[in-house]
Structure formats: C-alpha cells, structure tokens
Amino acid sequence: MPDSMSDSPTTTTQVAAGTGDELVTTPTASAPKRPGGSHGVVFRATDLDFYYGKARALKDVNVEIHRHEITALIGPSGCGKSTFLRCLNRMNDLIPGTRVDGRIEFHDQDLYASDIDSVDVRRRIGMVFQKPNPFPKSIKENLNFGMKVNGIKPTAERIEAVLRKASLWDEVKDKLDQDAFALSGGQQQRLCIARAIAVEPEVILMDEPCSALDPISTLAIEDLMNELVTQYTIVIVTHNMQQAARVSHRTAFFTVAGMDQGERYGVLAEHGDTEKIFTAPADKRTQDYITGRFG
Amino acid sequence: MATDAPSLPLGDAAEVRPLRKKRPRPADAAFHAAALGAVTITMGALVWLLGAILASGLGSLDWAFITDPVSTSAERAGFNSALRGSLVLMLITITVAIPIGFAAATYLEKFAALSRSQLEGNAYARQRRLHEMEAAGATGFGVTLKRLEVRASFLWARIGPPVNRAVEVNISNLAAVPSIIYGLLGLALFVSFVGLQKSLLSGGLTLAILVLPIIIIASREAIRAVPVSIEQGAMALGATRWQAVSRQTIPAAIPGMLTGTILAMSRAIGEAAPLIVVGGVAFGTQTPSINPTEANDTPLFAMPLQIFDWADRPQQDFLDLAASGIIVLLVVLVLMNAVAIFLRNKFSRRW
C-alpha cells in the first residue's frame, strides 16, 4: 500500500505476514500518536455476553475504550467483533431475539439500563456501516435528515462545515442537490461519515468502513479518521491488520473459542496499545494471527 | 514459456482432431417446437379474440358512444353512464384502499416481526415508567391510563406474535378468494349492516375490500425491496423506528407500492361479479353523477356490468355495442398498465 500519509503524524507499520519462524519482529514503526486532550474511559464492558437466540456470540468480554483515541477491533471472521461494535450503540436491539448479559457503561452509565432511551444512545454514538448506505435522496437531504430528527437546524453553513470536516466539500459543493447514489463508493462512504458527524455524536463506530473501497479511497478515509479523532472517539472494526496498525492507538483482538464444547463464540483474547499488540503480543493466539499463521 | 514442455503427452506428432460438423439434435428441436407451439396457442387466442371484438365493435364505436347515456334503443345507447360509474368506483376504491393497504403493509413488514422478548422489553419499559410516576406521587386519569397501557402491552407480548402470524397467512389466502364472495361480503356489510344504498358507494367500498389483499402483498414486496441498511442508517443517526421507516423506507418504496396499486385497480375496474351481487344496474333514466359525495344516491353503473348486460341480449346491435364497450374497457386497462410500467421503469433503483 502506498505511503501517502506523510503529512499526518503517523507512520506506516509493516506487519510480517507469514514469514515463518521469525515471529513478530518486523513491525518497524509505532502506531500513530494520540491527539491531545483527555483520554478518560468512554466505554467499559464488563463480563459482556451476547446471544443471538440461544446461540452465544460473545463471552466474557472485558474492555475499555478511551476518549479521543482510535480503537481497532481485529480478529478472524465470525469472532464477534462487529457484534461487539453494534452492542456499543444498541444497534443489536433491532435484531429480534438478541440478548445482552453483563454490562456496558458509557461514561459510567449502564447503556442497557431499562430506562435508557436507545434513540438517544444512537444519537450520541454514531455509526458508519460496512457498505456505504446513503439514503436514496440528494446529498443535501442525506445530511438534513439526521439534523432534522435531532432538532438541529440544517443551515447551508452547517452543511458546508460538515462536508469540509469529511473532506468531501470540494468534490460535491456544486452538486448538493444531486442524487447521492451518483457518487463513487468512497465518496458515498465519506458522505455517510459526514451524515454521522452532522448530528454531533461523541463516538463514531465504524464497521469495516473501507472493506468495499479501493486503496485510494481507503487512505482518504484513514486520513479523515486521523483528523476526526481530535474531536471524537472512534472505534473501528477492520479485517485489515495493516489498517489497524496504521490508524489505531489501541487494539482489541477477538478470536473464536468454544469449539471443543461444540459451540462457537467470540472472546477477547487481548487488548492494549496497538504498538504492544503488534510488537509484543502476550497471547499466543494474537501472535499467530498477526503473523499470518491463522485466520 | 512455450519451451517448458507440459506434462501432457501432446507432442508435435499427436494429431489435432478437427472440429465436429453440425448435426441434428432432435430433443432440442422438439423442445423448441413445443415452446413455440405454446406461445402460438396463447397469442393466437388473444389475437383471435381481439380481432373478433374489433371487427364487431369498431363499427359502433364513435364519439357519441362515449358521450351518450344508456338507452333501451341500440341506436341511441351509449357507454357514458357506465364510464361515469366506473370513474367514481375507482375514485372511491383508491381513496379507501390506499391508506389502509399501505398502512397494513408497513405494519406487517416493519412492525409485526417483533418477537415476544422484544415486546416484553417494551412492556417492562412502560411498567418502569409507571412505577416512576407512582413513586413521584402522580395520581388521576394519567396513571390509570398508563396502568391500562402496561397491562395491554404485557398482553400483547403474549398474543401479538401468533396473531400477527395468523394475519399474515390469511392475507395471502384472501387474495385468492373468488371475487363473488367479496360481493356477498359487501352486500352483507355495507348494505345490510351499515345501511348504505345499493349504490356506487357500496360498490366502491366492496371493490376496495377486494383489492386490499393485492395492494398489501404488492406493497409489502416493495417495502421489502428497500434494503434494511437504509433504515439502520437512519436509526444510527438517532431517528426513531417510525421516523426511519416513514421518512426513508416508505418514500423509497412508494414507486413500487403505486405500481402494485395500479395493477390492483386494473383488476378492480374489470370486476363484474361482486358488483352484480351488491346491486349493480345497467339501465337508468338519469345520468349518474360523477360527484363522489353523491355516490350513495347514485345507481351502481360500471363498464363490465354494461358490457355483460348488452352481451346478454339477443339483438346483434347490442352485441356490437358490447364489443365497443370491451374496446373502451381494454383501452382504459392498457393505459393504466402503461402508467404502472412507466412508474416501475422510471423509479426503479438498483441497490
């Protein structure tokens, strides 16, 4: 992948992929610097279990997510990292038959307490999906919708500011009334990010936001994340370990377990500073995964 | 590359087999012939029918046929009364069927799928709010109402899912019920029970019930075609379920829903059987009013009824009039279907 991020304070990290016995010695550079400001705990998951019907999907997840940091959730397919991400803004509530056990705190409040309004949760904790999902309407209407349902007045200045923040303004300023489906995939995804920040969330959850995009659009979005993290807290699920190493300050590695009991659920194997996870993983499974022996 | 010998024993010496010549394939030919034959029979019947109708109907089809009211004499009889009747019928049917049909489809597609545990979750949330109100010392009508609401939502959590499933199954069955049964239903419900006249109003309402299942099924499909990701995207911005569905999913589904509605209306406009049962007429001394507010006092005229009446008479002149009526009805049908196709092509979207 080209190193086009030279303006940003990050450096590209190379991860040895399948180089045999030489374990984790190759990552050459450190993870990006944390932006200034407080890095207090935003989310704290305690003994979190998650079920789809009777099938357990996550077991005993204990993790903290910090403010003004990018936290990457990595792991093999089916390890529950997307499920965990969707627990953080109660998006899983929309799927019939799901159940959460344990506790997730958002600023020390129980996110799943019975009197918490899940609509307000989703307003404060925005989400960008794997596949760009703009509304089948104009670019402007895509941005207006979230503001309207949240009682924010959608002014022209606001739309410009939001699109500038999402580094989309220069590309779309002359076609705000055009159908959002006419944009390219990368532009659509940045529009979805713009739509998410237009409602002023505190946290942005990103579920493999670049998996449907080409490398150039991917880099544009990674640059954007680096800028956004000064104001927001970002949690990103990614299949791409280079991406995790490039953009995240903290990494949580999920893996699949329970096969010996005929089950299959995700567990959190290890979490910590990205640099540590990629250079000196404490868990054998992490080591195997990031060196390409597994997954 | 080419010098690296492949492992296959295909040296220069090996002979290259020439390409085979064409040869007859009887099974293919038979299948082709059978398919062509089936199409010929279908199209032939249609063409023959159209030809016969055009031959006997075109002669008596002129502007006067459209503008003249019905009459006992074949020379003066026109299609105007029937046209007016059908127009009012369609207006009533569409006004009644669209809101009910679209709302039912939205409910079934988007809200009826809630599981018992989700419904119980809602009920417990309501119960907690009630306890909070009680703890805060609230009394009076509001609390009583809230208490009833909590009870109802716990009850619904139990019976809701099976009821919804039963409703879903039955709507599909209703679409297959013969239309004359709907006529009996309309007669019993609107004329005997509600006490309406045997009029355009009760006819239109009967047709509305007749097309409701079709509209609901078509609308559900249109709603289902809008990806859930649109709704989730809206909810991830802090929209409520209702806001997400009503402002994103439904508007995206509207072209499909309208297409289905128009096709349902073109079924309704050709229905004679239920209207005969509800009290349709083919003769009247007055020209029927096209004002829908007077529909309950207007005799139940309709194009298919008029055609049926004329076609039932022994005189050749009336048979020709029936053919002319069929031509008019077919033109209306083709126009309606053309609008449906136009809508589908213009607004269909690849997700």
Side-chain angles (χ1 to χ4, degrees):
Chain A
M1 215 164 258
D3 184 7
S4 76
M5 302 182 62
S6 40
D7 314 338
S8 66
T10 42
T11 18
T12 308
T13 305
Q14 282 288 325
V15 177
T19 47
D21 293 328
E22 270 189 315
L23 288 184
V24 265
T25 52
T26 24
T28 51
S30 58
K33 280 198 197 97
R34 287 177 167 77
S38 109
H39 295 293
V41 174
V42 178
F43 288 106
R44 178 180 291 116
T46 316
D47 298 333
L48 183 79
D49 288 0
F50 187 83
Y51 298 85
Y52 287 107
K54 288 204 173 75
R56 191 203 293 269
L58 279 175
K59 190 185 177 189
D60 283 341
V61 176
N62 287 284
V63 70
E64 284 174 0
I65 286 162
H66 295 255
R67 197 178 177 132
H68 296 312
E69 285 188 359
I70 301 180
T71 304
L73 313 179
I74 61 169
S77 298
C79 68
K81 52 195 189 302
S82 289
T83 301
F84 177 70
L85 188 80
R86 295 161 73 91
C87 285
L88 296 179
N89 71 341
R90 297 189 52 172
M91 213 60 190
N92 284 328
D93 289 16
L94 310 181
I95 304 170
T98 58
R99 186 159 61 87
V100 171
D101 268 358
R103 201 175 157 88
I104 300 182
E105 283 167 20
F106 175 63
H107 293 299
D108 298 322
Q109 301 170 77
D110 184 359
L111 201 57
Y112 282 83
S114 47
D115 56 346
I116 295 286
D117 182 4
S118 59
V119 172
D120 187 50
V121 168
R122 291 187 204 110
R123 194 231 144 137
R124 304 262 298 270
I125 307 168
M127 186 160 196
V128 176
F129 295 80
Q130 181 171 2
K131 200 167 155 259
N133 60 345
F135 302 131
K137 296 188 168 169
S138 73
I139 294 170
K140 204 199 260 168
E141 282 172 297
N142 263 277
L143 297 171
N144 286 354
F145 175 76
M147 297 193 244
K148 275 187 203 152
V149 298
N150 285 297
I152 304 171
K153 208 170 161 58
T155 59
E157 295 79 49
R158 225 188 136 78
I159 285 175
E160 178 176 344
V162 166
L163 284 171
R164 276 190 195 283
K165 243 190 226 176
S167 3
L168 194 60
W169 174 251
D170 291 329
E171 289 157 69
V172 302
K173 62 183 173 199
D174 300 323
K175 43 182 182 181
L176 292 178
D177 291 315
Q178 220 179 62
D179 194 27
F181 275 53
L183 297 174
S184 75
Q187 290 172 326
Q188 287 186 10
Q189 195 62 302
R190 274 179 285 154
L191 177 62
C192 290
I193 295 175
R195 192 172 78 178
I197 55 188
V199 304
E200 299 181 338
E202 274 171 62
V203 183
I204 304 173
L205 309 176
M206 296 183 165
D207 190 357
E208 298 186 45
C210 303
S211 66
L213 306 182
D214 65 273
I216 294 180
S217 309
T218 301
L219 283 168
I221 292 198
E222 288 178 7
D223 282 342
L224 177 57
M225 286 166 63
N226 262 305
E227 275 163 39
L228 293 178
V229 76
T230 57
Q231 291 171 58
Y232 305 95
T233 304
I234 298 180
V235 188
I236 175 177
V237 166
T238 178
H239 257 114
N240 178 334
M241 280 183 291
Q242 279 92 337
Q243 183 172 57
R246 269 198 306 270
V247 300
S248 74
H249 307 106
R250 220 175 265 268
T251 297
F253 173 68
F254 286 77
T255 191
V256 183
M259 264 96 80
D260 43 344
Q261 290 117 48
E263 280 185 86
R264 187 188 158 87
Y265 50 78
V267 292
L268 178 67
E270 185 173 3
H271 67 103
D273 278 5
T274 298
E275 208 178 326
K276 181 180 161 281
I277 296 279
F278 277 90
T279 53
D283 194 292
K284 178 78 168 58
R285 293 169 294 186
T286 318
Q287 218 173 60
D288 288 351
Y289 185 74
I290 64 175
T291 53
R293 282 187 169 182
F294 163 66
Chain B
M1 293 236 323
T3 52
D4 285 345
S7 53
L8 285 168
L10 247 180
D12 291 338
E15 203 168 305
V16 177
R17 183 175 65 74
L19 290 171
R20 216 171 258 151
K21 298 283 182 255
K22 273 188 196 166
R23 57 183 168 162
R25 296 178 194 275
D28 284 21
F31 179 71
H32 192 199
L36 201 65
V39 172
T40 314
I41 289 170
T42 318
M43 293 309 293
L46 187 65
V47 168
W48 183 77
L49 189 69
L50 276 178
I53 286 167
L54 286 176
S56 65
L58 273 182
S60 49
L61 184 60
D62 50 13
W63 191 243
F65 178 73
I66 307 285
T67 53
D68 282 353
V70 67
S71 162
T72 43
S73 117
E75 286 105 76
R76 283 186 292 139
F79 209 41
N80 190 260
S81 310
L83 263 172
R84 285 163 167 258
S86 282
L87 176 75
V88 176
L89 279 179
M90 290 301 104
L91 279 177
I92 294 169
T93 306
I94 211 161
T95 323
V96 173
I98 279 195
I100 301 179
F102 285 8
T106 308
Y107 172 75
L108 288 173
E109 201 52 44
K110 287 296 168 193
F111 296 93
L114 291 179
S115 68
R116 181 169 169 178
S117 60
Q118 280 174 316
L119 290 169
E120 273 173 351
N122 295 346
Y124 279 117
R126 291 202 179 96
Q127 191 180 41
R128 255 182 318 273
R129 244 163 276 151
L130 171 68
H131 290 332
E132 280 163 19
M133 282 168 81
E134 284 171 340
T139 47
F141 185 62
V143 178
T144 318
L145 202 68
K146 193 85 197 166
R147 216 167 270 147
L148 280 175
E149 189 191 328
V150 170
R151 286 201 160 189
S153 46
F154 272 108
L155 183 67
W156 184 244
R158 273 165 169 273
I159 62 168
V163 167
N164 285 329
R165 263 197 303 281
V167 168
E168 285 196 28
V169 170
N170 278 307
I171 283 180
S172 310
N173 288 342
L174 280 179
V177 168
S179 56
I180 195 157
I181 309 284
Y182 283 99
L184 292 170
L185 174 68
L187 185 68
L189 182 62
F190 300 121
V191 179
S192 304
F193 185 71
V194 181
L196 298 180
Q197 306 283 327
K198 292 183 172 180
S199 62
L200 280 178
L201 182 60
S202 38
L205 293 175
T206 306
L207 289 182
I209 302 186
L210 170 78
V211 295
L212 258 180
I214 310 174
I215 291 181
I216 291 173
I217 290 170
S219 304
R220 283 187 69 175
E221 249 151 51
I223 294 171
R224 207 176 309 145
V226 179
V228 189
S229 65
I230 297 295
E231 192 186 323
Q232 291 187 341
M235 294 193 68
L237 295 173
T240 62
R241 185 93 199 274
W242 170 240
Q243 285 170 328
V245 170
S246 65
R247 302 204 200 164
Q248 297 298 344
T249 309
I250 300 293
I254 277 287
M257 293 162 87
L258 286 180
T259 306
T261 305
I262 294 172
L263 293 179
M265 296 312 284
S266 49
R267 160 143 188 223
I269 203 171
E271 281 292 350
L275 297 182
I276 292 173
V277 179
V278 177
V281 295
F283 183 77
T285 48
Q286 285 174 323
T287 309
S289 157
I290 53 164
N291 182 352
T293 57
E294 294 168 10
N296 195 29
D297 300 319
T298 311
L300 179 41
F301 278 96
M303 288 195 276
L305 291 178
Q306 192 74 68
I307 293 167
F308 177 66
D309 179 69
W310 281 339
D312 211 25
R313 298 185 186 212
Q315 302 96 322
Q316 182 60 39
D317 286 352
F318 278 113
L319 295 183
D320 291 348
L321 282 178
S324 310
I326 290 172
I327 295 172
V328 174
L329 180 56
L330 280 179
V331 168
V332 173
L333 274 172
V334 168
L335 285 178
M336 287 170 75
N337 290 3
V339 172
I341 290 168
F342 170 78
L343 273 179
R344 186 163 53 203
N345 291 347
K346 170 117 197 209
F347 294 104
S348 74
R349 197 179 262 281
R350 292 180 61 88
W351 297 97

